[in-house]
Amino acid sequence: MNTKIYKLNREDIDYGIIEAAAEEIRQGELVAFPTETVYGLGADGLNPRALEKIFKAKGRPQDNPLILHVADYDQVEELVQFIGEDARRVMDAFWPGPITILFKKSDKVPYEATAGLDTVAIRMPEDKIALELIRRSKRPIAAPSANLSGRPSPTRAEHVKIDLDGRLETILDGGSTGIGLESTVVDLSSKEAMILRPGGIGYEDLRKIVPNITIDSSIISEGEDIVPRSPGQKYRHYAPRSEMFLYSGDLDRVVNRINLELEDYLNRGYKVGIMATDESKDRYSGGSVISMGSRENKETIAHNLFKVLRDFDKLEVDIILAEAVEKSGIGTAIMNRLIKAASGNIFTV
Ligand code: TXA
Ligand code: MG
């Protein structure tokens, strides 16, 4: 398959291109599109054959359910059994935006979308290209992040092309995505409201809307032993091609420790990448240092994180030594991704 890539100018959107992509969705083809979080690999959410194509293109495990993307509340009504009070408040507070809600699914939703579960994940994205594509396709669009399974999520069209060229019909290039990390996933399908994946909307902000919401403890713990409630959280994820080590603790001690490890790896002939922050990037004595952004503005770190992981792939480093960040605000989501990228290689110094 010859994948087409169309660049869209956000100030002057060519609706003909989006209409053609919407027609491809209706025909059961795959179209990648930007959202405010990461790029999605979209297909008709009501067409089992199209849904199977998503799993095949990504090499996604069959038991990992998809998110259905909608453009208005009416679309939600037909996909769910009911909208509870908490869900209604979360939708009103954060949609369109980076939060995905689990509902009890209606009969209309095929089990291919939910991987056999009776709950369905739904999100209304904020990106205007995404919304226009959903509206014009007249379908809920099922879309996981548009990366090969296990790789960092794509925050630019070029990342989608690197991973999936030839495996999908069209890529809509809307430039780099704003938030850079995936949506928060919340289960509001039963009485126990729970965050299954930290993301674009933080715990603190959610608690203002749903005071009794808790966090699935498996997603912030550094061990690998607790079984997560969201199937996607159990796989190795966001992984660069090289092995990664994550160091957490007081910044001075982290920098010292990484410098020691660096010297050792360099002596052994390794090519070393260092994932630093603006505050520390000039304090390393060698290696390829890339800053994720500023500790004072963790949104910049979220925005750059997946691109930095992919930049280390381009540099072909053998090993990545990374600094942890503080788990507050979007820091919880950043650390969740870093811990997975390091697949458990975490050291507290
Ligand atoms: O920001 C995002 O959420 C992006 C953009 C494209 O919208 N999408 C995304 O999709 O990150 P994906 O497939 O990479 O991650 C969806 C997560 C997975 O961890 C999956 O296991 C979980 O949501 N999920 C989906 N449906 C679920 C369900 N019924 N029960 C539990 N977890 C579910
Ligand atoms: Mg993903």
Side-chain angles (χ1 to χ4, degrees):
M1 188 187 305
N2 209 343
T3 301
K4 303 174 291 260
I5 303 182
Y6 296 106
K7 207 169 173 62
L8 289 162
N9 175 358
R10 289 180 176 280
E11 309 311 313
D12 180 18
I13 290 180
D14 182 339
Y15 291 104
I17 291 175
I18 301 188
E19 181 56 40
E23 177 58 24
E24 288 174 338
I25 295 280
R26 284 193 296 270
Q27 296 299 324
E29 304 297 343
L30 302 182
V31 174
F33 60 96
T35 80
E36 75 278 29
T37 59
V38 300
Y39 274 75
L41 177 62
D44 178 348
L46 303 179
N47 175 345
R49 295 233 321 275
L51 294 167
E52 277 165 19
K53 288 185 187 173
I54 290 182
F55 286 87
K56 198 160 165 232
K58 281 189 57 122
R60 184 179 178 95
Q62 291 292 338
D63 68 347
N64 195 2
L66 304 172
I67 298 172
L68 297 185
H69 295 70
V70 298
D72 57 55
Y73 280 22
D74 289 348
Q75 262 184 313
V76 181
E77 303 277 353
E78 49 182 24
L79 301 172
V80 306
Q81 287 180 19
F82 61 90
I83 299 176
E85 255 175 58
D86 283 344
R88 179 71 65 186
R89 279 204 303 276
V90 170
M91 290 158 76
D92 288 343
F94 301 116
W95 276 6
I99 190 157
T100 297
I101 304 172
L102 302 197
F103 299 88
K104 291 233 167 19
K105 82 174 203 59
S106 73
D107 291 341
K108 223 179 157 183
V109 178
Y111 279 113
E112 285 77 2
T114 68
L117 299 174
D118 290 320
T119 50
V120 59
I122 305 182
R123 172 163 110 83
M124 188 188 292
E126 195 172 19
D127 186 285
K128 59 183 175 186
I129 295 171
L131 288 171
E132 196 63 35
L133 180 68
I134 300 163
R135 271 189 215 112
R136 286 175 185 256
S137 72
K138 303 189 177 68
R139 307 277 194 283
I141 296 187
S145 49
N147 50 280
L148 281 175
S149 198
R151 300 269 301 136
S153 297
T155 53
R156 298 168 179 233
E158 118 194 22
H159 301 162
V160 181
K161 183 172 156 56
I162 289 169
D163 277 18
L164 298 176
D165 197 17
R167 296 171 183 238
L168 76 170
E169 207 64 44
T170 293
I171 301 173
L172 298 178
D173 179 354
S176 76
T177 61
I179 295 171
L181 295 183
E182 303 84 346
S183 61
T184 305
V185 177
V186 292
D187 186 352
L188 303 178
S189 65
S190 70
K191 284 209 175 70
E192 281 170 58
M194 190 180 274
I195 299 173
L196 305 189
R197 177 177 73 179
I201 301 286
Y203 183 41
E204 297 85 347
D205 290 330
L206 255 168
R207 260 220 326 234
K208 289 181 198 145
I209 310 292
V210 186
N212 65 338
I213 198 161
T214 56
I215 306 190
D216 182 1
S217 53
S218 72
I219 61 186
I220 39 171
S221 78
E222 291 167 18
E224 303 263 295
D225 45 341
I226 310 169
V227 178
R229 297 221 313 201
S230 174
Q233 288 288 322
K234 71 178 181 235
Y235 297 105
R236 179 161 194 233
H237 243 135
Y238 317 117
R241 295 193 206 284
S242 40
E243 194 163 12
M244 179 166 147
F245 296 92
L246 182 63
Y247 298 90
S248 81
D250 168 76
L251 185 59
D252 287 336
R253 286 211 300 274
V254 166
V255 171
N256 287 341
R257 173 69 182 270
I258 291 180
N259 269 322
L260 282 174
E261 299 287 344
L262 171 70
E263 200 185 319
D264 185 47
Y265 281 115
L266 292 177
N267 283 337
R268 284 151 64 190
Y270 283 73
K271 190 166 178 191
V272 183
I274 296 177
M275 238 171 129
T277 46
D278 290 355
E279 289 76 9
S280 61
K281 66 180 180 353
D282 299 323
R283 297 170 59 191
Y284 292 104
S285 49
S288 307
V289 182
I290 305 180
S291 172
M292 299 179 273
S294 169
R295 290 174 177 276
E296 299 294 312
N297 180 0
K298 287 206 282 294
E299 280 67 26
T300 61
I301 297 181
H303 176 80
N304 295 323
L305 182 66
F306 289 140
K307 175 174 185 296
V308 171
L309 287 171
R310 285 174 179 267
D311 285 345
F312 283 120
D313 287 342
K314 277 196 209 151
L315 290 170
E316 297 185 337
V317 297
D318 302 307
I319 204 133
I320 300 171
L321 307 175
E323 295 174 8
V325 302
E326 219 183 289
K327 284 182 193 163
S328 62
I330 199 154
T332 310
I334 295 169
M335 278 301 285
N336 170 264
R337 306 319 188 257
L338 282 173
I339 289 167
K340 289 198 185 301
S343 50
N345 294 327
I346 299 140
F347 303 94
T348 306
V349 299

